[in-house]
């Protein structure tokens, strides 16, 4: 799958800038569960996606959203975010 860019998700940031309506692959780290949403994910009501250890999912960022929030029960680099190339 062609990707344009990727970045590590550290256990100290909890937000990452994204492009509205773009598609991303999210890969969780080797330990723990990664949860993501478009609002603070300290409340389960805001979690839109979850990824288990070593798992990968594809997501599309909703229109108007430019910040992805995440949390994990892992430590260190808890995952990787990879933006997929636009399909023409």
């Amino acid at each position: 799958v062609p990707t344009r860019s990727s970045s590590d998700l550290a256990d100290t940031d909890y937000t990452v800038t994204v492009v509205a309506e773009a598609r991303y692959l999210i890969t969780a780290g080797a330990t723990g569960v990664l949860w993501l949403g478009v609002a603070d994910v300290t409340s389960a009501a805001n979690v839109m996606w979850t990824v288990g250890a070593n798992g990968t999912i594809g997501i599309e960022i909703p229109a108007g959203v430019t910040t992805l929030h995440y949390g994990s029960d892992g430590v260190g680099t808890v995952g990787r975010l990879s933006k997929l190339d636009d399909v023409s």
Side-chain angles (χ1 to χ4, degrees):
V1 174
T3 59
R4 177 178 300 166
S5 61
S6 61
S7 58
D8 288 337
L9 302 177
D11 69 346
T12 56
D13 295 332
Y14 308 112
T15 62
V16 63
T17 300
V18 292
V19 176
E21 300 183 52
R23 295 177 305 129
Y24 290 84
L25 291 178
I26 309 289
T27 302
T31 60
V33 174
L34 183 61
W35 51 90
L36 307 104
V38 297
D40 185 349
V41 293
T42 56
S43 166
N46 293 336
V47 174
M48 297 176 69
W49 305 280
T50 59
V51 188
N54 291 320
T56 300
I57 63 168
I59 66 171
E60 183 172 337
I61 304 300
V65 172
T66 58
T67 301
L68 183 66
H69 298 259
Y70 65 92
S72 175
D73 55 1
V75 295
T77 299
V78 295
R80 187 155 191 80
L81 174 73
S82 300
K83 185 177 182 296
L84 297 175
D85 282 337
D86 297 328
V87 177
S88 303

Coordinates of all heavy atoms in Angstrom, one line a residue:
V1 N 0.9 -1.2 0.0 CA 0.0 0.0 0.0 C 0.9 1.2 0.0 O 1.7 1.4 0.9 CB -0.9 0.0 1.2 CG1 -1.7 1.3 1.3 CG2 -1.8 -1.2 1.3
P2 N 0.8 2.1 -1.0 CA 1.6 3.3 -1.0 C 1.3 4.3 0.1 O 0.1 4.5 0.3 CB 1.3 3.9 -2.4 CG 0.6 2.9 -3.2 CD 0.0 1.9 -2.2
T3 N 2.3 4.8 0.8 CA 2.0 5.8 1.8 C 2.8 7.0 1.5 O 3.8 7.0 0.8 CB 2.4 5.3 3.2 OG1 3.8 4.9 3.2 CG2 1.5 4.1 3.6
R4 N 2.3 8.2 1.9 CA 3.0 9.4 1.7 C 3.9 9.8 2.8 O 5.0 10.2 2.6 CB 1.9 10.5 1.5 CG 2.5 11.9 1.3 CD 1.5 13.0 1.1 NE 0.7 12.7 -0.1 CZ -0.4 13.3 -0.4 NH1 -0.9 14.2 0.4 NH2 -1.0 12.9 -1.5
S5 N 3.5 9.6 4.0 CA 4.3 10.0 5.2 C 3.8 9.2 6.4 O 2.7 8.6 6.4 CB 4.2 11.5 5.5 OG 2.8 11.8 5.8
S6 N 4.7 9.1 7.3 CA 4.3 8.3 8.6 C 5.0 9.0 9.7 O 6.0 9.7 9.6 CB 4.7 6.9 8.4 OG 6.0 6.7 8.3
S7 N 4.5 8.7 10.9 CA 5.1 9.3 12.1 C 4.8 8.3 13.3 O 3.8 7.6 13.3 CB 4.6 10.7 12.4 OG 3.2 10.7 12.6
D8 N 5.7 8.3 14.2 CA 5.5 7.5 15.5 C 4.5 8.2 16.4 O 4.5 9.4 16.4 CB 6.8 7.3 16.2 CG 7.8 6.4 15.5 OD1 7.3 5.5 14.7 OD2 9.0 6.5 15.7
L9 N 3.8 7.4 17.1 CA 2.9 7.9 18.1 C 3.5 7.6 19.5 O 3.6 6.4 19.8 CB 1.5 7.2 18.0 CG 0.8 7.4 16.7 CD1 -0.5 6.6 16.7 CD2 0.5 8.9 16.4
A10 N 4.0 8.6 20.2 CA 4.7 8.4 21.4 C 3.7 8.5 22.6 O 2.6 9.1 22.5 CB 5.7 9.5 21.6
D11 N 4.1 7.8 23.7 CA 3.2 7.8 24.9 C 3.3 9.1 25.7 O 2.8 9.2 26.8 CB 3.5 6.6 25.8 CG 4.9 6.7 26.5 OD1 5.7 7.6 26.0 OD2 5.1 6.0 27.4
T12 N 3.8 10.2 25.1 CA 3.9 11.5 25.8 C 3.2 12.6 25.0 O 3.1 13.7 25.6 CB 5.4 11.9 25.9 OG1 6.0 11.9 24.6 CG2 6.1 10.9 26.8
D13 N 2.7 12.4 23.8 CA 2.1 13.4 23.0 C 0.5 13.4 23.1 O -0.1 14.4 23.4 CB 2.5 13.4 21.6 CG 4.0 13.6 21.4 OD1 4.6 14.3 22.3 OD2 4.6 13.1 20.5
Y14 N 0.0 12.3 22.7 CA -1.5 12.1 22.7 C -2.3 12.8 21.7 O -3.5 12.7 21.7 CB -2.0 12.3 24.1 CG -1.3 11.5 25.2 CD1 -0.5 12.1 26.1 CD2 -1.3 10.1 25.1 CE1 0.2 11.4 27.0 CE2 -0.5 9.3 26.1 CZ 0.2 10.0 27.0 OH 0.9 9.3 27.9
T15 N -1.7 13.6 20.9 CA -2.4 14.2 19.7 C -1.4 14.2 18.5 O -0.2 14.3 18.7 CB -2.9 15.7 19.9 OG1 -1.8 16.5 20.2 CG2 -3.9 15.7 21.1
V16 N -1.9 14.2 17.3 CA -1.1 14.3 16.1 C -2.0 15.1 15.1 O -3.2 14.9 15.0 CB -0.7 12.9 15.6 CG1 -1.8 12.0 15.2 CG2 0.3 13.0 14.5
T17 N -1.3 15.9 14.3 CA -2.0 16.6 13.2 C -2.2 15.7 12.1 O -1.3 15.0 11.6 CB -1.1 17.9 12.8 OG1 -0.9 18.7 14.0 CG2 -1.8 18.7 11.7
V18 N -3.4 15.8 11.5 CA -3.8 15.0 10.4 C -4.5 15.9 9.3 O -4.8 17.0 9.6 CB -4.8 13.8 10.8 CG1 -4.1 12.8 11.7 CG2 -6.0 14.4 11.5
V19 N -4.8 15.3 8.2 CA -5.4 16.0 7.1 C -6.9 15.5 7.0 O -7.1 14.3 7.0 CB -4.7 15.7 5.7 CG1 -5.5 16.4 4.6 CG2 -3.3 16.2 5.8
A20 N -7.8 16.5 7.1 CA -9.2 16.1 7.0 C -9.5 15.3 5.7 O -9.0 15.6 4.7 CB -10.1 17.4 7.1
E21 N -10.3 14.3 5.9 CA -10.8 13.4 4.8 C -9.7 12.6 4.2 O -9.9 12.0 3.1 CB -11.6 14.2 3.7 CG -12.8 15.0 4.3 CD -13.6 15.7 3.3 OE1 -14.0 15.1 2.3 OE2 -13.8 16.9 3.5
A22 N -8.5 12.6 4.8 CA -7.4 11.7 4.3 C -7.6 10.3 4.9 O -8.2 10.2 5.9 CB -6.1 12.3 4.6
R23 N -6.9 9.4 4.3 CA -6.9 8.0 4.8 C -5.6 7.7 5.4 O -4.5 8.0 4.8 CB -7.3 7.0 3.6 CG -8.7 7.2 3.1 CD -9.0 6.3 1.9 NE -8.0 6.5 0.9 CZ -7.4 5.5 0.2 NH1 -7.6 4.3 0.6 NH2 -6.5 5.8 -0.7
Y24 N -5.6 6.9 6.5 CA -4.4 6.6 7.2 C -4.4 5.1 7.7 O -5.5 4.5 7.8 CB -4.3 7.4 8.5 CG -4.0 8.9 8.3 CD1 -5.0 9.8 8.0 CD2 -2.7 9.4 8.4 CE1 -4.8 11.1 7.8 CE2 -2.4 10.7 8.2 CZ -3.5 11.6 7.9 OH -3.2 12.9 7.7
L25 N -3.3 4.6 7.8 CA -3.1 3.3 8.5 C -2.6 3.5 9.9 O -1.7 4.4 10.0 CB -2.1 2.4 7.7 CG -2.5 1.8 6.4 CD1 -1.4 1.0 5.8 CD2 -3.8 1.0 6.5
I26 N -3.2 2.9 10.8 CA -2.7 3.0 12.2 C -2.2 1.6 12.6 O -2.9 0.6 12.6 CB -3.9 3.4 13.2 CG1 -4.6 4.6 12.7 CG2 -3.4 3.5 14.6 CD1 -3.9 5.9 12.8
T27 N -1.0 1.5 13.1 CA -0.4 0.3 13.6 C 0.0 0.4 15.0 O 0.7 1.4 15.4 CB 0.9 -0.1 12.7 OG1 0.5 -0.2 11.4 CG2 1.5 -1.4 13.2
A28 N -0.5 -0.5 15.8 CA -0.2 -0.4 17.3 C 1.1 -1.0 17.6 O 1.6 -1.8 16.8 CB -1.3 -1.2 18.1
G29 N 1.7 -0.6 18.7 CA 3.0 -1.2 19.1 C 2.9 -2.6 19.5 O 1.8 -3.2 19.5
A30 N 4.0 -3.2 20.0 CA 4.0 -4.6 20.3 C 3.3 -4.9 21.6 O 2.9 -6.1 21.9 CB 5.5 -5.1 20.4
T31 N 3.1 -3.9 22.5 CA 2.4 -4.1 23.7 C 1.3 -3.1 23.9 O 1.3 -2.0 23.4 CB 3.3 -4.0 24.9 OG1 3.9 -2.7 25.0 CG2 4.5 -5.0 24.9
G32 N 0.2 -3.5 24.5 CA -0.9 -2.6 24.8 C -1.9 -2.4 23.7 O -1.7 -2.9 22.6
V33 N -2.9 -1.7 24.0 CA -4.0 -1.4 23.1 C -3.9 0.1 22.8 O -3.6 0.9 23.7 CB -5.3 -1.7 23.7 CG1 -6.5 -1.3 22.8 CG2 -5.4 -3.2 24.0
L34 N -4.1 0.5 21.6 CA -4.1 1.9 21.1 C -5.6 2.3 20.8 O -6.3 1.5 20.2 CB -3.3 2.0 19.9 CG -3.0 3.4 19.3 CD1 -2.3 4.3 20.2 CD2 -2.2 3.2 18.0
W35 N -6.0 3.4 21.4 CA -7.4 3.9 21.1 C -7.3 5.3 20.5 O -6.4 6.1 21.0 CB -8.3 3.8 22.3 CG -7.8 4.4 23.6 CD1 -8.0 5.6 24.0 CD2 -7.1 3.7 24.6 NE1 -7.4 5.8 25.2 CE2 -6.9 4.7 25.6 CE3 -6.6 2.4 24.7 CZ2 -6.1 4.4 26.8 CZ3 -5.8 2.1 25.9 CH2 -5.6 3.1 26.9
L36 N -8.2 5.6 19.6 CA -8.1 6.9 18.9 C -9.4 7.5 18.7 O -10.5 6.8 18.7 CB -7.5 6.7 17.5 CG -6.1 5.9 17.4 CD1 -6.4 4.5 17.0 CD2 -5.2 6.6 16.6
G37 N -9.5 8.9 18.5 CA -10.7 9.6 18.3 C -10.4 11.0 17.9 O -9.3 11.4 17.8
V38 N -11.5 11.7 17.6 CA -11.3 13.1 17.1 C -11.5 14.1 18.3 O -11.5 15.3 18.1 CB -12.3 13.5 16.0 CG1 -12.0 12.6 14.8 CG2 -13.8 13.3 16.4
A39 N -11.7 13.6 19.5 CA -11.7 14.4 20.7 C -10.9 13.6 21.8 O -10.5 12.5 21.6 CB -13.2 14.5 21.2
D40 N -10.7 14.2 22.9 CA -9.9 13.6 24.0 C -10.4 12.2 24.3 O -11.6 12.0 24.6 CB -10.0 14.5 25.2 CG -9.2 14.1 26.4 OD1 -8.6 13.0 26.3 OD2 -9.0 14.9 27.3
V41 N -9.5 11.2 24.2 CA -9.9 9.8 24.4 C -9.8 9.3 25.8 O -9.9 8.2 26.1 CB -9.2 8.9 23.4 CG1 -9.6 9.1 22.0 CG2 -7.7 9.0 23.6
T42 N -9.7 10.3 26.8 CA -9.8 9.9 28.2 C -11.2 9.4 28.6 O -11.4 8.8 29.6 CB -9.3 11.0 29.1 OG1 -10.1 12.2 28.9 CG2 -7.8 11.3 28.9
S43 N -12.2 9.8 27.8 CA -13.5 9.3 28.0 C -13.8 8.2 26.9 O -13.6 8.5 25.7 CB -14.5 10.4 27.8 OG -15.9 9.9 27.7
A44 N -14.3 7.1 27.3 CA -14.6 6.0 26.3 C -15.6 6.4 25.3 O -15.6 6.0 24.2 CB -15.1 4.8 27.1
A45 N -16.5 7.4 25.6 CA -17.5 7.9 24.7 C -16.8 8.5 23.4 O -17.4 8.6 22.4 CB -18.4 8.9 25.4
N46 N -15.6 9.0 23.6 CA -14.9 9.7 22.5 C -14.0 8.8 21.6 O -13.5 9.2 20.6 CB -14.0 10.8 23.0 CG -14.8 11.9 23.6 OD1 -16.0 12.1 23.3 ND2 -14.2 12.7 24.5
V47 N -13.9 7.5 22.0 CA -13.1 6.6 21.2 C -13.8 6.1 20.0 O -14.9 5.6 20.1 CB -12.7 5.3 22.1 CG1 -11.9 4.3 21.3 CG2 -11.8 5.8 23.3
M48 N -13.2 6.3 18.8 CA -13.8 5.9 17.5 C -13.2 4.7 17.0 O -13.8 3.9 16.2 CB -13.7 7.1 16.5 CG -14.4 8.3 16.9 SD -14.2 9.7 15.8 CE -15.0 9.1 14.3
W49 N -11.9 4.4 17.3 CA -11.2 3.3 16.7 C -10.3 2.7 17.8 O -9.7 3.4 18.6 CB -10.3 3.7 15.6 CG -11.0 4.4 14.5 CD1 -11.7 3.9 13.5 CD2 -11.0 5.8 14.2 NE1 -12.2 4.9 12.6 CE2 -11.8 6.1 13.1 CE3 -10.4 6.9 14.9 CZ2 -12.0 7.4 12.6 CZ3 -10.6 8.2 14.4 CH2 -11.4 8.4 13.2
T50 N -10.1 1.4 17.8 CA -9.2 0.7 18.7 C -8.3 -0.2 17.9 O -8.8 -0.8 16.9 CB -9.8 -0.1 19.8 OG1 -10.7 -1.0 19.3 CG2 -10.6 0.9 20.7
V51 N -7.1 -0.4 18.3 CA -6.1 -1.3 17.7 C -5.4 -2.1 18.7 O -4.8 -1.6 19.6 CB -5.1 -0.6 16.8 CG1 -4.3 -1.5 16.0 CG2 -5.7 0.5 15.9
G52 N -5.4 -3.5 18.6 CA -4.7 -4.3 19.6 C -3.2 -4.4 19.2 O -2.8 -3.9 18.2
A53 N -2.5 -4.9 20.2 CA -1.0 -5.0 20.0 C -0.6 -5.6 18.6 O -1.2 -6.6 18.2 CB -0.4 -5.9 21.1
N54 N 0.3 -5.0 17.9 CA 0.8 -5.4 16.6 C -0.3 -5.4 15.5 O 0.0 -5.8 14.4 CB 1.4 -6.7 16.7 CG 2.7 -6.7 17.4 OD1 3.5 -5.8 17.3 ND2 3.0 -7.7 18.2
G55 N -1.5 -4.8 15.8 CA -2.6 -4.8 14.8 C -2.5 -3.5 13.9 O -1.8 -2.5 14.3
T56 N -3.1 -3.6 12.8 CA -3.2 -2.4 11.9 C -4.6 -2.3 11.4 O -5.3 -3.2 11.0 CB -2.2 -2.6 10.6 OG1 -0.9 -2.8 11.1 CG2 -2.3 -1.5 9.7
I57 N -5.1 -1.0 11.4 CA -6.4 -0.7 10.8 C -6.3 0.5 9.9 O -5.3 1.3 9.9 CB -7.5 -0.4 11.9 CG1 -7.1 0.8 12.7 CG2 -7.7 -1.6 12.8 CD1 -8.2 1.4 13.6
G58 N -7.2 0.6 8.9 CA -7.3 1.8 8.1 C -8.5 2.7 8.5 O -9.5 2.1 8.9
I59 N -8.2 4.0 8.6 CA -9.3 4.9 8.9 C -9.3 6.1 8.0 O -8.4 6.3 7.2 CB -9.1 5.5 10.4 CG1 -7.8 6.3 10.5 CG2 -9.0 4.3 11.4 CD1 -7.7 7.1 11.8
E60 N -10.5 6.7 7.9 CA -10.6 8.0 7.2 C -11.0 9.1 8.2 O -11.9 8.9 9.0 CB -11.7 7.9 6.1 CG -11.7 9.1 5.2 CD -12.7 9.0 4.0 OE1 -12.9 7.9 3.6 OE2 -13.1 10.0 3.5
I61 N -10.2 10.2 8.1 CA -10.4 11.3 9.0 C -11.7 12.0 8.6 O -11.8 12.3 7.4 CB -9.2 12.2 9.0 CG1 -7.9 11.5 9.4 CG2 -9.5 13.4 10.0 CD1 -7.9 10.8 10.8
P62 N -12.6 12.3 9.5 CA -13.8 13.0 9.1 C -13.5 14.4 8.6 O -12.5 15.0 8.9 CB -14.6 13.1 10.4 CG -14.1 12.0 11.3 CD -12.6 11.9 10.9
A63 N -14.5 15.0 7.8 CA -14.3 16.3 7.3 C -14.2 17.3 8.4 O -14.9 17.2 9.5 CB -15.6 16.7 6.4
G64 N -13.4 18.3 8.3 CA -13.2 19.4 9.3 C -12.3 19.0 10.4 O -12.0 19.9 11.3
V65 N -11.8 17.8 10.5 CA -10.9 17.3 11.6 C -9.5 17.4 11.2 O -9.1 16.9 10.2 CB -11.3 15.9 12.1 CG1 -10.3 15.4 13.1 CG2 -12.7 15.9 12.6
T66 N -8.6 18.1 12.0 CA -7.2 18.1 11.8 C -6.3 17.7 12.9 O -5.1 17.7 12.8 CB -6.8 19.6 11.4 OG1 -7.1 20.5 12.4 CG2 -7.5 20.0 10.1
T67 N -7.0 17.2 14.0 CA -6.2 16.7 15.1 C -6.8 15.3 15.5 O -8.0 15.1 15.7 CB -6.3 17.6 16.4 OG1 -5.8 18.9 16.0 CG2 -5.5 17.0 17.5
L68 N -5.9 14.3 15.6 CA -6.3 13.0 16.0 C -5.8 12.8 17.4 O -4.6 13.0 17.7 CB -5.6 11.9 15.1 CG -6.0 10.5 15.3 CD1 -7.5 10.2 15.1 CD2 -5.2 9.6 14.4
H69 N -6.6 12.4 18.3 CA -6.3 12.1 19.7 C -6.1 10.6 19.9 O -6.8 9.8 19.3 CB -7.4 12.6 20.6 CG -7.7 14.1 20.5 ND1 -7.2 15.0 21.4 CD2 -8.4 14.8 19.6 CE1 -7.6 16.2 21.1 NE2 -8.3 16.1 20.0
Y70 N -5.1 10.3 20.7 CA -4.9 8.8 21.0 C -4.5 8.6 22.4 O -4.0 9.5 23.1 CB -3.9 8.3 20.0 CG -2.5 8.8 20.1 CD1 -1.5 8.2 20.9 CD2 -2.1 10.0 19.4 CE1 -0.3 8.7 21.0 CE2 -0.9 10.5 19.5 CZ 0.1 9.9 20.3 OH 1.3 10.4 20.4
G71 N -4.6 7.4 22.8 CA -4.1 6.9 24.1 C -3.7 5.5 24.0 O -4.1 4.8 23.1
S72 N -3.0 5.0 25.0 CA -2.6 3.6 25.0 C -2.2 3.2 26.5 O -1.9 4.0 27.3 CB -1.3 3.5 24.2 OG -0.8 2.1 24.2
D73 N -2.3 1.9 26.7 CA -1.8 1.4 27.9 C -0.4 0.8 27.8 O 0.1 0.2 28.7 CB -2.8 0.3 28.5 CG -3.1 -0.8 27.6 OD1 -2.5 -0.9 26.5 OD2 -3.8 -1.7 28.0
G74 N 0.2 1.1 26.6 CA 1.6 0.7 26.4 C 2.5 1.8 26.8 O 2.1 2.9 27.2
V75 N 3.8 1.6 26.6 CA 4.8 2.7 26.9 C 5.8 2.8 25.8 O 5.9 2.0 24.9 CB 5.7 2.3 28.2 CG1 4.8 2.3 29.4 CG2 6.4 1.0 28.0
G76 N 6.4 4.0 25.7 CA 7.4 4.3 24.6 C 6.6 4.7 23.4 O 5.6 5.4 23.4
T77 N 7.1 4.2 22.2 CA 6.4 4.4 21.0 C 5.2 3.4 20.9 O 5.4 2.2 20.9 CB 7.3 4.1 19.8 OG1 8.4 5.1 19.8 CG2 6.5 4.3 18.4
V78 N 4.0 3.9 21.0 CA 2.8 3.1 21.2 C 2.2 2.7 19.8 O 1.2 1.9 19.8 CB 1.8 3.7 22.1 CG1 2.4 3.8 23.5 CG2 1.3 5.1 21.6
G79 N 2.6 3.4 18.7 CA 2.1 3.1 17.4 C 2.7 3.9 16.3 O 3.6 4.7 16.6
R80 N 2.2 3.7 15.1 CA 2.6 4.4 14.0 C 1.4 4.8 13.1 O 0.5 4.1 12.9 CB 3.6 3.6 13.2 CG 4.3 4.3 12.0 CD 5.6 3.6 11.7 NE 6.4 4.3 10.8 CZ 7.2 5.4 11.2 NH1 7.2 5.7 12.4 NH2 7.9 6.0 10.3
L81 N 1.5 6.1 12.7 CA 0.4 6.6 11.8 C 1.0 6.8 10.4 O 2.0 7.5 10.3 CB 0.0 8.0 12.4 CG -1.0 8.8 11.6 CD1 -2.4 8.2 11.6 CD2 -1.1 10.2 12.1
S82 N 0.4 6.2 9.4 CA 0.9 6.4 8.0 C -0.2 6.9 7.1 O -1.3 6.3 7.0 CB 1.4 5.0 7.5 OG 2.4 4.5 8.3
K83 N 0.0 8.0 6.5 CA -0.9 8.6 5.6 C -0.8 7.9 4.2 O 0.2 7.8 3.7 CB -0.7 10.1 5.4 CG -1.7 10.8 4.5 CD -1.5 12.3 4.5 CE -2.5 13.0 3.7 NZ -2.6 12.6 2.3
L84 N -2.0 7.5 3.7 CA -2.0 6.8 2.4 C -2.0 7.8 1.3 O -2.6 8.9 1.5 CB -3.3 5.9 2.3 CG -3.3 4.8 3.3 CD1 -4.7 4.1 3.2 CD2 -2.2 3.8 3.2
D85 N -1.5 7.5 0.2 CA -1.5 8.4 -1.0 C -2.9 8.6 -1.4 O -3.8 7.7 -1.3 CB -0.7 7.7 -2.2 CG 0.7 7.9 -2.0 OD1 1.2 8.8 -1.3 OD2 1.5 7.1 -2.6
D86 N -3.2 9.8 -2.0 CA -4.5 10.1 -2.5 C -4.7 9.2 -3.8 O -3.8 9.0 -4.5 CB -4.6 11.6 -2.9 CG -4.5 12.5 -1.6 OD1 -4.9 12.0 -0.6 OD2 -3.9 13.6 -1.8
V87 N -6.0 8.8 -3.9 CA -6.3 8.0 -5.1 C -7.0 8.9 -6.1 O -8.0 9.6 -5.8 CB -7.3 6.8 -4.7 CG1 -7.7 6.1 -6.0 CG2 -6.6 5.9 -3.7
S88 N -6.5 9.0 -7.3 CA -7.1 9.9 -8.3 C -8.1 9.1 -9.2 O -7.9 8.0 -9.5 CB -6.0 10.5 -9.2 OG -5.1 11.1 -8.4

